[in-house]
Amino acid sequence: HSQFAPHLAHHMATDESEESRRIRDDVLLLLMPIMNPDGHEIVVDWYREHLGTDYETTRPPEVYHQYVGHDINRDWFMFRQDETRVVAEQLYHEWLPQIVFNHHQTAPFPARIFIPPFADPVNPHIDPRVVRGVNLVGEHMSNRFAAEGMPGVVSGMAFTMWWNGGMRTAPYFHNQIGILSEVGHASPTPADHDPGDFPATFGRGSNIIPTLEPSIHYPDPWRGGRASIGQAVQYHLVSSLGTLDVAQKNKEDFLYNFYAMGRDAIRAGEAGGPFAYVVSLEDQHDAGEAVEMLNTLRRGGIEVERATSGFTAGGRSYPAGSYILRAGQAFRAHLLDMMEPHEHPHREIYPGGPPEPPYGGLAGYTLPFQMGVDFARVDQPFEVSSERVAWVDAPESRITGSGEVLLLSSMENRGFTALHRALGEGATVSRTAERFTVDGTDFAAGTLVVEGAAGSGGLEGVEEAAREHGLTVHRTTDRPAVSLRPVRAPRIATYQSYTVNMDEGWTRWLFNHYGIPFRTLYNQEIRAGDFDDVDVILFTGQSAQGILHGHQEGRMPPRFTGGVSEAGVAQLQEFVRGGGRLVALDDANDFLLEHFDVPVGNALEGLSNEEFYIPGSLLRLDVDPAHPVAFGMPAEAAAFFQSSRAFTVDGGGAEVVARYPAADLLLSGWEVGAQEHLAEQAAVVRVPYGAGDLVLIGFRPQFRAQPAGTFKLLFNALHGAAEGARAAAVERMTELEAR
């Protein structure tokens, strides 16, 4: 795609054919040559470095984006990355295009290109005119390929129209026709293919088709030969010219339908059911994340209003300053898809067979559930005096009381930002182990107690962070009369494998976003035990085999092969016995359970997809806020579960921090067998091991930086490590050396 884009620009600027003149007269083409230039550099540099070697066609051992690799294409309702924010501004605020075309690689082999129409299911919030428009553009492209004698064009496979997180799919919820193409052959190195070596069929799930026989979605099979980057560029070019041609020929229809879909969405919302969603910052567990959610919706083109006086809606009174999200707006489909629970249809690969996975493994992603935001759906129209806002400012900080002891709420994610400012500027910080009352105000367990000399930088840093992020701080004269745990800045290390792990990249982004210092550990350092300066090691979501073995020898340059190995396992065991902490997320827990003798098991081991299946969905989670790993959490949260883990616990001092409830587990998405196999099983467990411990979080509490409602489970797990025996021993040794 990065080679094709300037080719298309040159063609459209210089070609004098009748078609090009028509398109230039009637179509506005916004062409972004490349959305991820950092990733392009990484890929090109790796290829050039290994050109002419056995590793010429390998891929880089790092994510091809500063943080998230290919997940840059899965950030299109959350907009966490700079790249998606910039493009969303053009799509949903500035230009409002009728067609959005996203070029990718690679097509399912041996096809030369994948194009629409797409596969079922279709999200019920999408206007049917969008679906028809997608099919129209796809069929027009198909005809052009056939006319130009270019075989190997496949459609109707794998990619569905359900999820709202891709650059192709998010436009559907904005009345735009989202197009995806994926060309075959992803390397500058040519390759020759003998059709005798082709598999008999290709595809996925229920969409399996013959490789060499014509079929409805693959009427002109590619029968082998040479594949090259030039061929891939040409397929991209023809698909784009087909799209521009159909846009020109049907320009009035596309423009009118875009208007009509917005008009009808406004009318539907004004009729009610729902009429609006109301978000009051006064009712929030973490008001900062409520503001973040509102601004996430703003980035996606949703109109947000602020009440200028108190009002009543749905039988409930709201103060001035509450926020209203009216369903009567052009992008109503996006608003409803973000705010409403999802009910993904039950689909099987064949009748009575295993479930057919949704594209991308995503079935439910309701935004306020993920972010822990309280809101009210109001079905009937109501009157309110309000003003539209372009941006929602951080909530007003709540700094009360007087004195040189600061009490910082444990309920706000940004409290960890304030914590590190305080520690970095020399303040003394403790954490309460229980609930307490000061000056007539109740405080939860885990409240941070910040002390320092009058006018010290640490206290000023906390108040500065409070004003910036709208945090809750109470000043008092004396420290609370409850048990206090000293808090040190934890020395955090995250494991980074050479088998590319986007979950690790998202975690790095999250730490940087919240101002949490960390370092990265690679295989070589773990094998050598080179982590004396570390209190806690984090393994993000990754398979046990990927952690242990990594790339096989001969598949990559030698320094990128292998994993932590058995030698690394021994070093990690010694680290924990000596007082360190290991934290594992999702499937990385398999690695811990295999190599550490603890009284915890995988409650879901051995179950088939027919028995138990939960793709990316939101599940109800019962939490113990009195446990240090859950300080600041509400008693109930939403866990993002994507074929994740749950645990059995058999004594041995293991502590259950959170578990799945006995009933009503599914909040949003799709489940098979949850009640039978997941109910009442542990989701988060702390296990002592020698002088240290393990924290097992069976799901990904930081998945793509979306579920802010569970970030604190990760943050607490990491910060509690600095209170352990290893940190204390290192501190004593440092003091002795200083003497």
Side-chain angles (χ1 to χ4, degrees):
H1 50 281
S2 55
Q3 313 304 310
F4 136 80
H7 184 26
L8 175 63
H10 182 268
H11 176 87
M12 292 312 306
T14 63
D15 185 66
E16 291 301 328
S17 68
E18 184 270 339
E19 177 186 70
S20 293
R21 289 197 299 271
R22 281 192 292 106
I23 292 170
R24 284 197 297 265
D25 286 345
D26 293 339
V27 178
L28 288 173
L29 169 61
L30 308 179
L31 179 62
M32 188 171 216
I34 186 163
M35 192 177 299
N36 177 15
D38 301 316
H40 185 249
E41 276 195 13
I42 290 169
V43 172
V44 170
D45 289 349
W46 175 264
Y47 179 81
R48 287 176 173 164
E49 180 182 352
H50 297 94
L51 185 63
T53 74
D54 292 340
Y55 310 109
E56 183 173 309
T57 58
T58 60
R59 296 188 176 192
E62 60 181 314
V63 289
Y64 52 83
H65 174 275
Q66 181 180 1
Y67 294 112
V68 301
H70 192 67
D71 267 0
I72 192 70
N73 189 47
R74 298 174 180 129
D75 186 41
W76 289 97
F77 67 72
M78 202 69 199
F79 309 114
R80 290 296 199 187
Q81 300 303 315
D82 291 342
E83 294 87 346
T84 50
R85 292 181 179 185
V86 167
V87 177
E89 180 69 22
Q90 306 306 310
L91 295 182
Y92 308 135
H93 296 271
E94 185 72 22
W95 285 94
L96 304 173
Q98 290 78 60
I99 301 175
V100 179
F101 194 163
N102 192 11
H103 297 82
H104 276 236
Q105 58 193 52
T106 58
F109 184 82
R112 295 299 83 202
I113 191 169
F114 171 89
I115 63 173
F118 299 109
D120 288 326
V122 173
N123 190 302
H125 295 308
I126 300 172
D127 193 293
R129 286 165 287 193
V130 168
V131 181
R132 297 290 187 188
V134 170
N135 295 346
L136 171 66
V137 174
E139 290 300 333
H140 194 81
M141 280 195 277
S142 295
N143 287 331
R144 190 180 187 107
F145 281 116
E148 298 201 15
M150 299 174 71
V153 179
V154 70
S155 60
M157 181 180 292
F159 301 97
T160 71
M161 296 183 73
W162 176 266
W163 170 56
N164 191 349
M167 191 191 175
R168 162 189 65 99
T169 59
Y172 301 153
F173 302 87
H174 297 78
N175 306 324
Q176 297 168 336
I177 295 168
I179 304 296
L180 170 74
S181 70
E182 300 221 0
V183 292
H185 194 74
S187 172
T189 301
D192 294 306
H193 297 280
D194 183 344
D197 297 330
F198 287 2
T201 60
F202 71 111
R204 190 185 71 140
S206 60
N207 298 310
I208 302 295
I209 60 176
T211 302
L212 294 172
E213 298 174 14
S215 56
I216 292 295
H217 294 296
Y218 194 53
D220 187 12
W222 186 62
R223 302 187 182 279
R226 168 147 290 207
S228 67
I229 193 172
Q231 180 189 83
V233 166
Q234 189 63 21
Y235 272 81
H236 267 326
L237 180 66
V238 170
S239 68
S240 297
L241 293 177
T243 301
L244 292 166
D245 180 50
V246 74
Q248 188 277 328
K249 289 176 177 174
N250 296 275
K251 62 177 183 176
E252 290 87 358
D253 289 344
F254 286 128
L255 286 167
Y256 180 78
N257 282 339
F258 184 73
Y259 153 75
M261 286 185 280
R263 176 202 63 197
D264 294 347
I266 293 169
R267 290 175 178 173
E270 290 175 343
F275 178 76
Y277 304 93
V278 181
V279 177
S280 171
L281 299 187
E282 293 187 358
D283 301 328
Q284 301 300 328
H285 186 84
D286 185 342
E289 295 300 347
V291 168
E292 187 72 23
M293 185 194 80
L294 292 168
N295 285 328
T296 296
L297 294 171
R298 279 295 302 131
R299 288 189 175 100
I302 295 301
E303 296 169 357
V304 178
E305 298 174 25
R306 181 173 51 229
T308 55
S309 60
F311 65 100
T312 299
R316 178 177 166 184
S317 296
Y318 294 93
S322 298
Y323 291 91
I324 301 107
L325 304 164
R326 295 183 186 269
Q329 53 181 293
F331 297 158
R332 175 177 181 267
H334 182 65
L335 177 62
L336 267 60
D337 198 57
M338 291 291 95
M339 301 298 290
E340 294 288 329
H342 301 102
E343 297 181 12
H344 192 284
H346 181 85
R347 299 177 60 83
E348 298 172 341
I349 294 177
Y350 52 85
E356 181 168 16
Y359 169 65
L362 274 295
Y365 40 86
T366 308
L367 198 56
F369 294 175
Q370 291 202 69
M371 300 188 73
V373 176
D374 181 66
F375 72 101
R377 168 180 162 148
V378 182
D379 285 331
Q380 299 302 317
F382 59 89
E383 295 294 328
V384 58
S385 175
S386 62
E387 59 184 4
R388 190 172 295 175
V389 296
W391 193 249
V392 180
D393 294 328
E396 189 172 337
S397 60
R398 295 166 294 283
I399 303 176
T400 57
S402 61
E404 297 305 323
V405 177
L406 272 58
L407 304 179
L408 180 63
S409 170
S410 62
M411 297 191 297
E412 297 155 336
N413 287 336
R414 278 293 185 178
F416 288 92
T417 304
L419 165 64
H420 282 280
R421 287 195 191 177
L423 292 171
E425 295 174 9
T428 299
V429 183
S430 306
R431 207 164 195 188
T432 63
E434 58 201 84
R435 299 185 67 87
F436 64 97
T437 301
V438 167
D439 299 336
T441 301
D442 293 329
F443 292 87
T447 297
L448 292 163
V449 182
V450 185
E451 301 172 86
S456 72
L459 301 185
E460 292 175 356
V462 170
E463 292 199 344
E464 180 182 333
R467 286 188 289 271
E468 182 179 346
H469 301 294
L471 304 180
T472 302
V473 176
H474 181 75
R475 278 184 170 270
T476 187
T477 54
D478 299 305
R479 55 167 46 191
V482 294
S483 176
L484 297 175
R485 300 181 179 191
V487 175
R488 306 175 184 88
R491 297 169 304 173
I492 300 167
T494 62
Y495 169 64
Q496 187 177 119
S497 170
Y498 293 127
T499 57
V500 173
N501 181 6
M502 290 180 285
D503 197 50
E504 182 271 337
W506 279 112
T507 307
R508 283 188 283 110
W509 181 89
L510 193 70
F511 289 165
N512 288 339
H513 182 68
Y514 283 95
I516 298 174
F518 69 99
R519 60 164 288 199
T520 297
L521 280 179
Y522 297 94
N523 291 326
Q524 300 92 321
E525 294 167 289
I526 290 182
R527 293 173 199 151
D530 185 15
F531 37 74
D532 287 341
D533 58 342
V534 170
D535 299 316
V536 54
I537 299 173
L538 172 65
F539 288 89
T540 55
Q542 185 177 3
S543 73
Q545 291 301 302
I547 295 170
L548 185 65
H549 298 299
H551 291 292
Q552 295 180 11
E553 289 186 16
R555 297 286 183 89
M556 288 284 281
R559 67 191 181 97
F560 299 117
T561 59
V564 301
S565 78
E566 295 294 344
V569 169
Q571 294 286 359
L572 292 169
Q573 291 171 340
E574 185 62 27
F575 167 76
V576 182
R577 288 193 193 100
R581 173 177 282 184
L582 293 186
V583 179
L585 310 181
D586 207 278
D587 50 346
N589 284 286
D590 297 346
F591 175 75
L592 267 59
L593 295 181
E594 288 175 14
H595 298 287
F596 289 78
D597 184 16
V598 293
V600 178
N602 181 357
L604 307 174
E605 188 172 9
L607 295 175
S608 67
N609 282 356
E610 289 93 333
E611 297 172 284
F612 178 79
Y613 183 68
I614 303 179
S617 299
L618 297 172
L619 303 184
R620 205 179 306 275
L621 188 69
D622 290 340
V623 182
D624 177 10
H627 194 286
V629 175
F631 279 162
M633 289 287 294
E636 183 178 292
F640 182 84
F641 193 102
Q642 189 180 42
S643 301
S644 298
R645 302 297 181 269
F647 308 109
T648 58
V649 177
D650 185 20
E655 303 159 0
V656 176
V657 180
R659 67 172 71 247
Y660 296 104
D664 300 323
L665 281 77
L666 184 65
L667 287 170
S668 181
W670 181 19
E671 61 86 10
V672 174
Q675 187 65 47
E676 295 82 357
H677 301 289
L678 195 60
E680 298 189 279
Q681 300 289 4
V684 182
V685 180
R686 176 195 168 270
V687 192
Y689 189 90
D693 58 7
L694 313 176
V695 177
L696 292 73
I697 303 178
F699 55 95
R700 282 181 271 178
Q702 74 333 348
F703 177 76
R704 294 179 188 163
Q706 294 172 11
T710 52
F711 287 172
K712 281 186 284 290
L713 290 171
L714 174 60
F715 294 166
N716 285 326
L718 299 173
H719 285 73
E723 303 163 15
R726 178 180 174 85
V730 170
E731 185 174 287
R732 287 196 299 273
M733 183 61 69
T734 302
E735 290 175 357
L736 289 171
E737 289 174 352
R739 291 174 187 174

